[in-house]
Amino acid sequence: MKKNDIAPFFAALKAANPTPQTELEYTTVFELLTAVLLSAQATDVGVNKATRRLFPAANTPQAILDLGLDGLESYIKTIGLYRSKAKHLMETCRMLVQLHGGTVPRTREELEALPGVGRKTANVVLNVAFGQPTMAVDTHIFRVGNRTGLAPGKNPLEVEKQLLKRVPDEYAVDSHHWLILLGRYVCQARKPRCWECVASKYCDFTPKTLAPATGKKS
């Protein structure tokens, strides 16, 4: 993607969705951290179904610890890899209580020191909870970055670095959400829905796909 096309690309996404939000449901920073930790290799819909049961019963680190491992597992067993996620979440809660007074830290280093919290999870928390212009590169953003030519890279870290370098400052904080939503609903893996994309004219992907019913190009 040409440098001159990047700002119009994001301007088009912003015009269509001025205030993008994560689709994970949360009301506190700890709930967000928990939801993101549980979301690895799972859908936001599936995580939300589980946390709607979990959070009314326990939505603080100490409350999670009080549930015990078996109790926590009973709330999240519908989520893939729930046993390992439960262990990580319990250890994270223990560290939050012992080292951080029960609050979620605001630095990448402290977040990534928590069990089950990798770079992507830390980026989501830093961006969504604390408004930092980080890029949490999941499969959707990795695909969009490469397919559009916005941020080509062989791995998520390369794509992240390209995005941090190329996304204009005015779009930096919300760009993570726009790219995820674009990849999830429009720029899909099997067949991008170019005819529905508000920013398709700035995208390097060719040839643009056709709408099934009309055969009309985007």
Side-chain angles (χ1 to χ4, degrees):
M1 186 181 294
K2 295 177 182 178
K3 185 177 181 179
N4 290 341
D5 285 337
I6 295 176
F9 173 84
F10 281 105
L13 296 178
K14 180 177 182 178
N17 185 4
T19 55
Q21 305 291 328
T22 178
E23 293 187 324
L24 290 171
E25 297 173 358
Y26 72 98
T27 59
T28 67
V29 178
F30 175 71
E31 287 185 359
L32 174 66
L33 173 63
T34 298
V36 180
L37 191 153
L38 295 176
S39 70
Q41 300 181 50
T43 65
D44 288 358
V45 171
V47 171
N48 289 338
K49 286 181 179 178
T51 56
R52 284 171 196 159
R53 296 178 59 244
L54 172 64
F55 290 156
N59 72 337
T60 67
Q62 187 59 58
I64 295 287
L65 290 173
D66 292 343
L67 283 179
L69 184 60
D70 290 342
L72 176 58
E73 288 182 352
S74 71
Y75 282 101
I76 66 170
K77 62 185 178 181
T78 55
I79 301 174
L81 307 175
Y82 75 93
R83 284 195 168 90
S84 63
K85 291 177 181 179
K87 290 178 182 177
H88 286 152
L89 182 54
M90 290 294 285
E91 287 303 310
T92 284
C93 289
R94 189 167 288 110
M95 289 181 65
L96 289 176
V97 169
Q98 294 175 353
L99 303 179
H100 302 286
T103 63
V104 177
R106 301 174 70 100
T107 70
R108 176 186 301 283
E109 293 74 21
E110 290 172 313
L111 285 168
E112 290 188 19
L114 300 172
V117 178
R119 186 175 183 87
K120 185 178 74 172
T121 298
N123 278 338
V124 173
V125 174
L126 291 170
N127 178 265
V128 176
F130 302 128
Q132 296 187 26
T134 56
M135 297 290 177
V137 179
D138 66 353
T139 55
H140 298 301
I141 292 185
F142 183 78
R143 178 173 64 255
V144 171
N146 278 283
R147 183 182 276 165
T148 64
L150 172 65
K154 295 179 180 178
N155 55 59
L157 184 57
E158 286 187 9
V159 171
E160 178 184 337
K161 290 180 177 179
Q162 285 286 332
L163 288 170
L164 290 173
K165 183 169 65 175
R166 302 195 81 201
V167 176
D169 290 346
E170 64 199 282
Y171 301 112
V173 172
D174 289 329
S175 59
H176 158 254
H177 293 303
W178 286 318
L179 295 176
I180 282 182
L181 295 172
L182 182 66
R184 184 173 290 164
Y185 297 111
V186 180
C187 197
Q188 297 174 337
R190 289 191 178 183
K191 182 181 180 180
R193 303 172 68 84
C194 299
W195 65 93
E196 292 182 355
C197 182
V198 297
S200 64
K201 67 179 179 179
Y202 307 110
C203 167
D204 285 355
F205 179 72
T206 55
K208 298 292 192 290
T209 55
L210 305 178
T214 64
K216 181 181 179 182
K217 283 191 176 183
S218 64

